Amino acid sequence: MSPSIDYFCKLTSVSSPTSDDDSLRSQSPLSPSSSVSPIDGVYYNPRLDPANYLEGPLSPNPATRLRQMLARPGIVVAPGICDGISARCALEAGFTCLYQSGAATTASRLGQPDLAIATLNDFVGAAQMVCSLDPTVPVIADADTGFGGPAMIARTVTQYARTGVAALHIEDQVQTKRCGHLLGKQVVSREEFLTRIRAAVLARDSIPGGSDFVIIARTDSAQVLGMDEAVLRLKMAADVGADVCFIEGVRTKELLESNRRRTCSETSKSPSTLHKNLRSHLWKVLVNVISGGLTPSFTTHEAEAMGAKIIIFSLVSSVAMVHACRAAMQLLKKTGTDFTSAQGMDPKSFFEVMGLDNVVTFDAMAGGTAFASI
């Protein structure tokens, strides 16, 4: 892995990079007991400043496009997809961002519950397929705990980025993690959480040519240690370079609004206008809505009004598929035919949802004749 530029510097040295590397690194808030405050040492990469993404047409690069969407007005709505069929349906419905849920990926690829069973290879394999369907549409992908220590987290980031994923989120659960909406969760220390986020940021900044890949810090500590601890962890994660903050399992509207107020107040407390400008974009908030889960079923409009910038519906396609497939299978078992469950959709109509027309058109443009009649 190529060495990354050190963006963990004193704010006073942002415009005068004359400090030596050891001095700059000493300003990073490696632990809550550090004598260095976040104001003294904060990650800042001027290339990734949101002001650079406010104008111009949306980029065909999915990571750049996601940064443009985050910098501009409006909430980013990302439905959870679990396979190629659900991804095609989401694109057909007009969604401009997709979410690859870890739970959905584990269920669809392995037929297993979300209990740290899927591996990096499972997640990357799923992402390769999803990102290929429309390479311009940003895909936000679950990366669980990063699948290991700093070196493994760096590998995760680089593989996701090379696959075409626009953003990932890394959490602070222990390696034997579970779905964030199940009970009995355990989390790692603040220090280990920050190490994970810092490793992801350094890996992103090491990608040759400069990557716009978005790093999302997720904490599951609200249910284990309380909301104050969760907000503190995300504040520290933002200081080491996280672009978006994600508290999993927010139980009430008041807690989400409290998160927005606290993060905004932390930004406004800075005595430095420069510091405020550098920090303000780091408090983009993501909310995860799962019907029947810990978080209330906020609508997109409600979440936006409460200050969320991204809303994901992790299991929207997976749960719908379970209901639809169960009904179809039970009906087939009972009646001996799939006529009713097909609802008039013939094979060609099904393949059209999967991009049939695009493939046939491309084949003809290249001079092929195999699909002239289909």
Side-chain angles (χ1 to χ4, degrees), residues 105-141:
T105 300
T106 303
S108 65
R109 291 181 71 86
L110 306 178
Q112 297 290 335
D114 186 12
L115 298 175
I117 297 173
T119 66
L120 171 61
N121 290 342
D122 293 318
F123 281 44
V124 169
Q128 286 175 333
M129 177 273 299
V130 172
C131 294
S132 71
L133 299 181
D134 186 338
T136 68
V137 172
V139 174
I140 301 171

Side-chain angles (χ1 to χ4, degrees), residues 114 142 144-145 169-174 177-188 193 196 216-227 229-231 233-234 245-251 288 290 294-295:
D114 186 12
D142 190 347
D144 282 355
T145 61
H169 61 75
I170 293 181
E171 67 202 49
D172 58 358
Q173 284 198 59
V174 297
K177 61 144 291 175
R178 65 196 65 196
C179 170
H181 289 254
L182 296 178
L183 302 179
K185 294 186 291 185
Q186 295 178 303
V187 296
V188 299
F193 179 45
R196 291 177 181 178
I216 303 172
R218 163 179 154 176
T219 181
D220 287 72
S221 61
Q223 291 78 50
V224 183
L225 303 173
M227 192 66 174
E229 176 67 18
V231 171
R233 286 183 176 222
L234 292 184
C245 297
F246 173 10
I247 296 182
E248 179 64 296
V250 175
R251 289 179 179 269
N288 180 22
I290 298 179
L294 296 176
T295 301

Side-chain angles (χ1 to χ4, degrees), residues 133-337:
L133 299 181
D134 186 338
T136 68
V137 172
V139 174
I140 301 171
D142 190 347
D144 282 355
T145 61
F147 306 104
M152 190 62 184
I153 290 170
R155 184 167 180 261
T156 298
V157 170
T158 54
Q159 288 205 19
Y160 274 44
R162 289 169 183 165
T163 295
V165 171
L168 61 66
H169 61 75
I170 293 181
E171 67 202 49
D172 58 358
Q173 284 198 59
V174 297
Q175 294 294 346
T176 50
K177 61 144 291 175
R178 65 196 65 196
C179 170
H181 289 254
L182 296 178
L183 302 179
K185 294 186 291 185
Q186 295 178 303
V187 296
V188 299
S189 66
R190 296 176 190 170
E191 291 88 343
E192 184 168 346
F193 179 45
L194 293 181
T195 296
R196 291 177 181 178
I197 301 304
R198 183 180 284 105
V201 171
L202 289 172
R204 187 267 314 283
D205 292 343
S206 300
I207 295 174
S211 173
D212 284 340
F213 194 79
V214 176
I215 305 297
I216 303 172
R218 163 179 154 176
T219 181
D220 287 72
S221 61
Q223 291 78 50
V224 183
L225 303 173
M227 192 66 174
D228 287 340
E229 176 67 18
V231 171
L232 176 59
R233 286 183 176 222
L234 292 184
K235 175 178 178 293
M236 298 173 74
D239 287 336
V240 299
D243 300 295
V244 178
C245 297
F246 173 10
I247 296 182
E248 179 64 296
V250 175
R251 289 179 179 269
T252 66
K253 171 183 177 180
E254 287 70 25
L255 284 178
L256 184 59
E257 291 181 327
S258 174
N259 179 38
R260 179 186 63 170
R261 288 196 300 269
R262 293 185 197 191
T263 54
C264 289
S265 66
E266 289 294 343
T267 301
S268 62
K269 284 179 182 177
S270 168
S272 165
T273 301
L274 173 60
H275 181 261
K276 181 177 180 180
N277 290 337
L278 302 190
R279 286 287 306 284
S280 62
H281 73 288
L282 295 176
W283 288 113
K284 299 287 188 292
V285 175
L286 180 152
V287 61
N288 180 22
V289 174
I290 298 179
S291 182
L294 296 176
T295 301
S297 295
F298 300 125
T299 67
T300 57
H301 299 298
E302 290 171 338
E304 183 175 15
M306 288 183 282
K309 187 60 183 177
I310 304 174
I311 184 169
I312 59 176
F313 296 87
S314 296
L315 295 181
V316 61
S317 61
S318 301
V319 171
M321 283 187 173
V322 168
H323 289 310
C325 194
R326 266 183 176 170
M329 294 300 174
Q330 291 170 359
L331 195 60
L332 174 61
K333 181 72 173 176
K334 181 179 179 179
T335 66
T337 177

